[in-house]
Amino acid sequence: MTEKLHRAAGAPEEHADALAPLVHAAAGSYFDWLFGGRDAARAELALWVRRPSSEVWAGRATLLLRDDDVVGAEISLSGAELSGCRKADGLAVLGAATGAGRASLLGRLAAAAGLFAPVDAEEWYLSKLAVAPGTARRGFGSRLLDESLQAATDAGFRRCRVDVEASNESAIALYESRGFRLAHEGAAAGMRYLALAREA
């Protein structure tokens, strides 16, 4: 079997169902906390990957396919684009919340500000990278990361950023192998995230 890279921009709905669990896997602890549980997070992300204004819209994804099965995905975008997407995502999640749930969500969104360092408009942001269960240690993550870094170079970006949960040692090792270094550390609600940066 051979793997091939596929940009989802031309047909974002085609692989949306396969992408949503990978987006969740890339930051499950954060999404579960934000949305109030795993089932709620997965249901919301299934909508987000179909919404063009979302940070995790399928049209932004590069997929790694084995035959026709999605075995990995990465989503990256400019810092300028990220800002608008995060506002849209925040409005979407607030619009779906009501009553006491809305107040609780507002508290979680405020706390999340302590987790992540701001991303500059001139930075290329690696938003999500994940491989399918059972496919770790086959080089899929490396291939997807290298694709994102090449896209950054092609688009003229000299600095790349990624946020990764501090406990995700394999992801940190992968990013460090490509020259990423610690730029910021944030903590909230029992989670710790590292902002890693790479200069071209």
Side-chain angles (χ1 to χ4, degrees):
M1 289 188 221
T2 59
E3 294 81 33
K4 65 179 179 180
L5 291 168
H6 171 73
R7 290 289 299 163
E13 290 290 322
E14 181 180 358
H15 297 291
D17 288 339
L19 176 62
L22 291 174
V23 169
H24 181 263
S29 297
Y30 171 74
F31 285 130
D32 292 352
W33 167 74
L34 180 65
F35 294 117
R38 184 173 188 235
D39 291 343
R42 288 195 162 202
E44 193 67 28
L45 291 171
L47 300 175
W48 285 24
V49 297
R50 289 172 167 81
R51 185 167 39 80
S53 61
S54 177
E55 177 181 343
V56 296
W57 175 48
R60 298 182 210 294
T62 297
L63 307 173
L64 186 61
L65 304 178
R66 174 184 281 169
D67 297 327
D68 287 328
D69 296 327
V70 177
V71 295
E74 74 83 18
I75 298 172
S76 47
L77 61 167
S78 72
E81 190 177 12
L82 176 70
S83 176
C85 290
R86 286 196 168 166
K87 286 177 186 172
D89 286 336
L91 289 172
V93 72
L94 282 172
T98 58
R102 184 180 176 90
S104 177
L105 177 61
L106 282 168
R108 291 194 300 275
L109 286 171
L115 275 176
F116 307 112
V119 177
D120 291 338
E122 298 80 20
E123 293 179 317
W124 183 254
Y125 187 69
L126 287 74
S127 173
K128 304 291 176 281
L129 190 153
V131 298
T135 64
R137 306 208 180 280
R138 296 187 190 176
F140 295 167
S142 296
R143 188 167 173 190
L144 287 161
L145 175 56
D146 291 342
E147 177 71 11
S148 179
L149 295 177
Q150 185 60 53
T153 299
D154 292 348
F157 287 88
R158 298 191 45 78
R159 182 174 166 92
C160 297
R161 266 280 315 281
V162 65
D163 292 304
V164 61
E165 197 164 3
S167 62
N168 193 343
E169 295 177 1
S170 60
I172 293 168
L174 173 60
Y175 292 123
E176 288 179 340
S177 75
R178 298 305 192 271
F180 283 84
R181 298 294 177 255
L182 180 65
H184 179 267
E185 184 173 344
M191 292 179 287
R192 283 179 53 237
Y193 267 81
L194 307 180
L196 307 177
R198 175 184 187 265
E199 301 284 348

